[in-house]
Amino acid sequence: MKRCRNDELWDFEHEILGGDDIILGIDGGTTSTVCVCIGLSDPRVVSPSMSCPMLARVVGGCSNHNSVGETAARETLEQVMAEALSKSGSIRSSVRAVCLAVSGVNHPTDQQRILDWLRDIFPCHVNLYVQNDAVAALASGTMGKLHGCVLIAGTGTIAYGFTEDGREARAAGAGPILGDWGSGYGIAAQALTAIIRAHDG
């Protein structure tokens, strides 16, 4: 089996320091980013019905690369993951999976760029999942089953849905310039535009 970057370091860290298996879940938005560290009492069994303890929860700033740039977004994501691991008393070699759901992931190239970055941080055996944050919002209301529709109206706005046979569709969510109609940003921008027009007469 091909070993990936830093595998020897992960093996050494796990052998010396130990640690229970964990999952990192990140909800990254334009306003804030939340990372939770979930403990797996039995790493052989993972299902939506399991009651797994939340070991840590950390909140950071914006991680949408369309809003703050790729470097700042990556720094925020690295920060919340590192703080969640530290707060839970866990180590990176204990991570079994990382699920990153972040706004601004609108195209397969966005997904691949983040996956490549995560693969530089975590060893080969870690399962990595990258989706738009709307997918996580839907899954949180359906116990993990991607079937139905979700509408998010916050700093940005997006509608996302899946049919039972796996087809998906979305509307809006293209950012404040191209399409976040009805969002907090959009409403505020319209209000400020109206004020300027009134001032100009």
Side-chain angles (χ1 to χ4, degrees):
M1 177 178 174
K2 181 182 177 182
R3 298 177 68 86
C4 64
R5 188 180 309 175
N6 293 333
D7 261 9
E8 292 84 357
L9 294 177
W10 301 118
D11 293 343
F12 174 77
E13 184 183 43
H14 196 273
E15 180 181 349
I16 299 301
L17 300 177
D20 296 327
D21 289 324
I22 59 171
I23 292 175
L24 291 177
I26 301 99
D27 177 14
T30 304
T31 302
S32 63
T33 300
V34 179
C35 179
V36 293
C37 180
I38 305 295
L40 297 177
S41 54
D42 186 347
R44 296 167 298 178
V45 181
V46 180
S47 72
S49 61
M50 284 181 62
S51 178
C52 298
M54 184 171 69
L55 305 177
R57 182 179 186 273
V58 174
V59 180
C62 173
S63 56
N64 185 332
H65 71 274
N66 291 324
S67 298
V68 295
E70 188 172 344
T71 300
R74 182 179 296 188
E75 288 175 353
T76 296
L77 292 168
E78 288 179 349
Q79 174 192 347
V80 294
M81 288 192 294
E83 288 186 15
L85 287 172
S86 176
K87 192 174 179 181
S88 67
S90 304
I91 53 178
R92 282 185 294 180
S93 58
S94 297
V95 176
R96 264 190 88 215
V98 177
C99 180
L100 196 158
V102 62
S103 60
V105 175
N106 300 316
H107 191 270
T109 56
D110 297 325
Q111 287 180 309
Q112 192 57 54
R113 184 169 58 250
I114 295 175
L115 284 169
D116 290 342
W117 161 65
L118 288 173
R119 187 52 71 200
D120 284 339
I121 298 175
F122 296 98
C124 290
H125 67 269
V126 177
N127 293 313
L128 303 176
Y129 306 93
V130 176
Q131 292 286 350
N132 185 280
D133 60 339
V135 177
L138 175 60
S140 71
T142 60
M143 296 300 292
K145 183 178 180 181
L146 291 181
H147 173 220
C149 296
V150 63
L151 174 63
I152 298 176
T155 306
T157 186
I158 187 172
Y160 216 119
F162 289 84
T163 61
E164 283 191 280
D165 60 2
R167 288 176 295 138
E168 62 182 285
R170 61 175 284 176
I177 296 176
L178 298 179
D180 270 344
W181 316 292
S183 67
Y185 181 98
I187 293 169
Q190 290 177 14
L192 292 172
T193 298
I195 291 170
I196 295 301
R197 284 179 173 174
H199 180 268
D200 287 344

